[in-house]
Amino acid sequence: MSLVVDGLTKRFGPVVALDGVTWTAAPGQVFGFLGANGAGKTTAMRVVLGILRPDAGRVTWQGRDTHSLPRRTWGYLPEERGLYPRMRVADQLAYFASLHGLLPADARRRAGEWLERFRITDLARRRADELSKGNQQKVQFIAAVLHEPSVLLMDEPFTGLDPVNVGLLRDAFLELRDAGRTIVFSTHQMEAAEALCDAVAIIERGRIVLAGPLAEVRRASGASRVRIAVQGDRDLGPLASRPGAVVVRRGVDGAELTLPAGDDPRSVLADALAAGLQVTAFELAEPTLEELFVRSVARAREGGAPEIGARAADANGRARATGSDGPIEGLA
């Protein structure tokens, strides 16, 4: 059984914040909910949590309407920090855990374990307003997971974290996923999402424009990508002017090109050899999540149809068509 968001519509006066939003996140899955500022991510999360009521649609977890579920089902990390600034870290972690039914002794034991894992045990007796932004973020993450929720929703969880702490948080994500938790998070950091996500949904102006298992949406994009290195010619000679080809990245050891749908990547190698170029490396690759994000959002803003039917993956990797037509305004 999964977390099912089915046909959510939410209006604020004349503004349509969510327009038929549908996606499904399965237990033991990391689901990336991606979109630009104002696309509707935060509104959707607040509807899932019951903070906002939708105008249409419903949200269920394991077949039950989410409004009938106990508080401890959910863990939520908001984009805006919600710590009590003058309260000591250990005390407020115990307090937040008690709101979800944990006994004080259990709450403090679990808090100590998480503080040690995130290498901030020395902060237990410090007030929140004495912490750096990154450490505040780690404390807030601990508060969200301390009661071991079945579903964890996180709005921009990597904000304020340096690369070392991003790595610690990624490891925590994977451990929670392997324990069967359902994890939904939004982020602007596409590399982090690509490293973690089993499935994604991209929202733009309140509509899902691309969704499904990550491997599937890559294959369905139709775009091909090659990495090629040519000795003594970093500009790639005639390859750079190939019709429809775009050089997306150059480096000291070669370059990467994207090719239009239907263009055989192997012909790039054949053309390079025919032109007399000395090819030292050649590799086929799939488009990155960042490329898929940019392309699908640009397509939506130009009025194009959602890609691959704006499909939402279910627990078995199947997909359902979602979304509605027509331009709308977005609100987060």
Side-chain angles (χ1 to χ4, degrees), residues 238-239 267-279:
L239 299 182
S267 66
V268 175
L269 178 59
D271 291 348
L273 296 174
L277 300 177
Q278 298 184 49
V279 178

Side-chain angles (χ1 to χ4, degrees), residues 61 64-75 100 147:
W61 166 247
R64 295 175 57 189
D65 191 285
T66 55
H67 291 99
S68 67
L69 297 172
R71 178 194 293 266
R72 66 176 303 152
T73 303
W74 310 102
H100 296 90
H147 59 287

Side-chain angles (χ1 to χ4, degrees), residues 260-322:
D263 199 349
D264 186 353
R266 294 170 296 182
S267 66
V268 175
L269 178 59
D271 291 348
L273 296 174
L277 300 177
Q278 298 184 49
V279 178
T280 58
F282 182 81
E283 180 184 4
L284 303 182
E286 294 179 318
T288 66
L289 181 56
E290 181 176 359
E291 291 170 18
L292 295 174
F293 178 89
V294 170
R295 192 177 73 175
S296 60
V297 168
R299 180 183 176 89
R301 291 178 179 178
E302 292 169 358
E307 295 193 52
I308 57 171
R311 293 179 292 179
D314 67 12
N316 298 311
R318 294 187 294 268
R320 296 183 293 149
T322 74

Side-chain angles (χ1 to χ4, degrees), residues 71-311:
R71 178 194 293 266
R72 66 176 303 152
T73 303
W74 310 102
Y76 180 48
L77 191 155
E79 184 175 8
E80 307 85 5
R81 293 177 179 85
L83 301 175
Y84 294 102
R86 300 181 64 83
M87 193 173 183
R88 298 185 189 277
V89 167
D91 293 337
Q92 62 183 307
L93 287 176
Y95 170 70
F96 286 131
S98 71
L99 297 179
H100 296 90
L102 262 68
L103 296 174
D106 291 335
R108 291 188 178 277
R109 176 182 55 79
R110 292 185 190 178
E113 292 171 352
W114 276 102
L115 290 170
E116 182 176 2
R117 175 171 185 159
F118 281 174
R119 306 172 186 173
I120 51 174
T121 53
D122 57 317
L123 303 182
R125 305 305 301 167
R126 300 272 294 277
R127 295 184 339 199
D129 61 3
E130 297 174 331
L131 308 183
S132 67
K133 291 182 179 179
N135 283 331
Q136 287 184 33
Q137 186 74 342
K138 287 192 285 186
V139 170
Q140 187 142 340
F141 174 82
I142 294 171
V145 302
L146 206 58
H147 59 287
E148 299 182 345
S150 299
V151 185
L152 183 60
L153 294 102
M154 293 174 288
D155 204 352
E156 298 290 347
F158 301 108
T159 299
L161 297 181
D162 59 39
V164 172
N165 286 314
V166 168
L168 291 174
L169 195 59
R170 286 181 185 176
D171 291 344
F173 272 36
L174 297 177
E175 181 178 306
L176 292 167
R177 179 202 65 186
D178 293 344
R181 307 285 189 266
T182 299
I183 301 171
V184 178
F185 77 101
S186 69
T187 184
H188 289 97
Q189 298 183 26
M190 293 297 142
E191 289 185 1
E194 192 156 32
L196 288 167
C197 291
D198 303 292
V200 298
I202 296 175
I203 186 170
E204 168 62 17
R205 298 182 182 180
R207 298 176 63 207
I208 299 297
V209 297
L210 180 67
L214 185 53
E216 179 183 316
V217 298
R218 279 175 169 156
R219 289 193 301 268
S221 69
S224 299
R225 183 173 180 173
V226 299
R227 297 187 182 98
I228 187 168
V230 177
Q231 185 173 349
D233 190 351
R234 294 183 186 175
D235 293 331
L236 300 183
L239 299 182
S241 58
R242 184 185 180 92
V246 178
V247 179
V248 294
R249 184 173 297 132
R250 296 182 187 272
V252 295
D253 58 347
E256 295 183 7
L257 296 85
T258 58
L259 306 177
D263 199 349
D264 186 353
R266 294 170 296 182
S267 66
V268 175
L269 178 59
D271 291 348
L273 296 174
L277 300 177
Q278 298 184 49
V279 178
T280 58
F282 182 81
E283 180 184 4
L284 303 182
E286 294 179 318
T288 66
L289 181 56
E290 181 176 359
E291 291 170 18
L292 295 174
F293 178 89
V294 170
R295 192 177 73 175
S296 60
V297 168
R299 180 183 176 89
R301 291 178 179 178
E302 292 169 358
E307 295 193 52
I308 57 171
R311 293 179 292 179

